[in-house]
Amino acid sequence: GTFAVDGLSRSQVESPEQARELFFMAARNKIMGSHNMNQQSSRSHCIYTFYIDRWSADTPENIIRSELAIVDL
């Protein structure tokens, strides 16, 4: 009942700048290839999923959780 994904990684960041750098690092690491229909085909797919937790110092038990998925086909 379980499976593994090659190349999958998970990172925790503390700022939008860190998230942006990880996003662009992943984009730079894509393997490029070509075929007759598309000379710039990457032949790879990426799913970037951002999990964002937000809370107030006054009420730390009140956590707002969000998820944003970006799919690069």
Side-chain angles (χ1 to χ4, degrees):
T2 64
F3 63 93
V5 178
D6 290 336
L8 180 68
S9 65
R10 185 175 185 157
S11 301
Q12 182 172 332
V13 297
E14 300 297 328
S15 71
E17 293 79 17
Q18 288 177 332
R20 182 178 182 274
E21 180 57 35
L22 279 174
F23 178 81
F24 285 117
M25 180 185 68
R28 285 191 304 269
N29 287 334
K30 284 182 68 173
I31 297 171
M32 300 300 285
S34 65
H35 55 80
N36 292 337
M37 300 281 292
N38 186 346
Q39 294 301 314
Q40 294 298 316
S41 173
S42 67
R43 292 191 180 173
S44 66
H45 307 292
C46 293
I47 300 173
Y48 308 96
T49 306
F50 297 90
Y51 300 98
I52 303 157
D53 290 348
R54 180 176 177 216
W55 63 91
S56 169
D58 297 334
T59 54
E61 68 280 355
N62 239 0
I63 298 173
I64 298 172
R65 291 201 167 114
S66 302
E67 180 178 332
L68 170 67
I70 300 172
V71 180
D72 178 4
L73 299 176

